[in-house]
Every structure is written in structure tokens, then in C-alpha cells.
Amino acid sequence: LYFSKYQQPEAVPILNYQDIGPKNKKILRILPLRDSLFILTESGVYRLAGDNTTNFQTSLFDSSTQLKSPDSAVVLNNQLIMFSSQGIASISDTGVQIISRPIENKLLPLVTSLYTNFVSKTFAVSYESDRAYLLFTITSVNDTVATICYRYNTFTNTWVSWDISKTCGVINSDQDKLYLGAGDTNYIEVERK
């Protein structure tokens, strides 16, 4: 993990780095929470804490939870939510919690070798004002775009699913609207609010 000089994001000296995990495992995603940086690797979850380069400390946070789809990891309500080896996991400074138990029978088959498009076609959107984690993924081994959305509500801790075909998504924070790439046409779709 390389880091820049203070107040100079484009200046990264070759000696400004920390090794994270085993050398033969990749870093898949890095996401910040309030007081720490979470590094999601092929070998587990690592946490970097500290407020300057002299006191950065990296430690293994959870070795039993591996990220399965890098684009499924987002920050929502000061927690990381991601598609992991154990299902959908919520990670906070206090630990890892599995939140997908009600829909695991639909999710866990997707991480097998049969679903070759799973990693590249699965993505998530963090919708803070709607209090929702939106996971778009495939349902069939032949899918070339995400064909279903699983929506998790952080207040009610419930899941619903939508049969919709999408390629990408983002929240426009100025308008507080969801923008999605249509899976069947070359258009961007905007949420009606």
C-alpha cells in the first residue's frame, strides 16, 4: 500500500509504503471509515489506523471474510457492505456481521466456478438518503449484465429483489437521485423522485 506525502497527493516516494498481507495475494479494494482505512484483499480484511505516516498501524481485521466481487464493496452508514465468501457482510470498527442470511440460498451459488461473469457483472450502489444497499448481480450462467437487484434496508434489516437489467449505477449527490445504466439499451436511466 503506497501513500503520498502530506498535502501532496501526486507525490508518492518509493519508500512510502506498507506491506499488507501475504505477497502473493492482491489488494482488491480500499475503503475509508471514520477512523480507519479498510483494505480488502484476497486473503481477508486488514485495517490501517493512525493519523500520520509515523504512526500508521496495519493489522489483520478478519481472515475468514474474503471479498468476492470488488465492485460490490461500498460504504454505507459508516459501515462497509460487500459480497464476501460468507454472503453479504457488514464491516464496522467493531467487527464483521453477515446480513444476507434470508437470501443466502440465492447468493452463494453465484460464487461457484459455473458463474464466470459474476465478478465482472456484479456491482453495488450505496444510497445513504434511502438507507439502502443496492446489489446488482447475475442470475444465470449466461448473463452478460446484472439481471437482478437485491435491496437491503439498513433500518428494517430487510431484503427485497427487483428483476431489472443494469450495467452500472451511481448516486448524484447534488440531486440525491439514482442513475443506472440500462442493460438492454445505451441509455442512462434517472430515478423519478
Side-chain angles (χ1 to χ4, degrees):
L1 175 68
Y2 283 88
F3 50 91
S4 67
K5 291 181 178 180
Y6 181 71
Q7 299 287 335
Q8 298 179 43
E10 68 286 339
V12 183
I14 198 161
L15 295 177
N16 278 14
Y17 75 92
Q18 284 196 356
D19 288 325
I20 310 291
K23 292 183 186 282
N24 63 340
K25 299 294 182 183
K26 296 178 187 174
I27 292 177
L28 301 173
R29 189 102 170 172
I30 301 171
L31 293 169
L33 288 186
R34 181 179 24 236
D35 296 326
S36 54
L37 193 65
F38 282 87
I39 300 113
L40 309 173
T41 72
E42 291 177 335
S43 63
V45 179
Y46 291 82
R47 181 174 180 234
L48 182 131
D51 54 9
N52 65 55
T53 58
T54 60
N55 67 1
F56 282 165
Q57 293 180 354
T58 305
S59 59
L60 178 63
F61 190 75
D62 190 315
S63 63
S64 65
T65 305
Q66 289 88 31
L67 179 62
K68 288 299 182 182
S69 174
D71 290 335
S72 72
V74 296
V75 176
L76 177 66
N77 197 23
N78 199 38
Q79 297 177 341
L80 300 180
I81 302 180
M82 66 180 196
F83 199 126
S84 77
S85 54
Q86 299 182 39
I88 308 299
S90 171
I91 302 172
S92 67
D93 288 323
T94 58
V96 177
Q97 179 182 4
I98 305 305
I99 60 175
S100 63
R101 187 72 182 126
I103 60 169
E104 276 184 3
N105 61 331
K106 297 172 184 169
L107 297 178
L108 292 183
L110 298 176
V111 297
T112 63
S113 60
L114 294 174
Y115 292 84
T116 56
N117 289 333
F118 166 73
V119 173
S120 63
K121 303 307 175 193
T122 299
F123 66 95
V125 177
S126 169
Y127 203 161
E128 287 282 351
S129 66
D130 205 33
R131 288 138 182 98
Y133 171 75
L134 304 170
L135 175 72
F136 294 85
T137 192
I138 60 176
T139 54
S140 165
V141 293
N142 299 322
D143 286 345
T144 57
V145 296
T147 54
I148 193 166
C149 174
Y150 294 103
R151 181 187 183 277
Y152 176 72
N153 185 301
T154 59
F155 277 2
T156 62
N157 297 324
T158 55
W159 290 94
V160 295
S161 63
W162 303 328
D163 290 325
I164 55 176
S165 176
K166 303 298 174 201
T167 59
C168 58
V170 68
I171 300 295
N172 181 329
S173 57
D174 293 337
Q175 300 173 344
D176 194 32
K177 289 186 180 180
L178 175 64
Y179 285 71
L180 294 169
D184 53 353
T185 61
N186 287 330
Y187 289 100
I188 300 293
E189 299 172 344
V190 182
E191 172 186 31
R192 285 183 277 177
K193 248 187 176 177

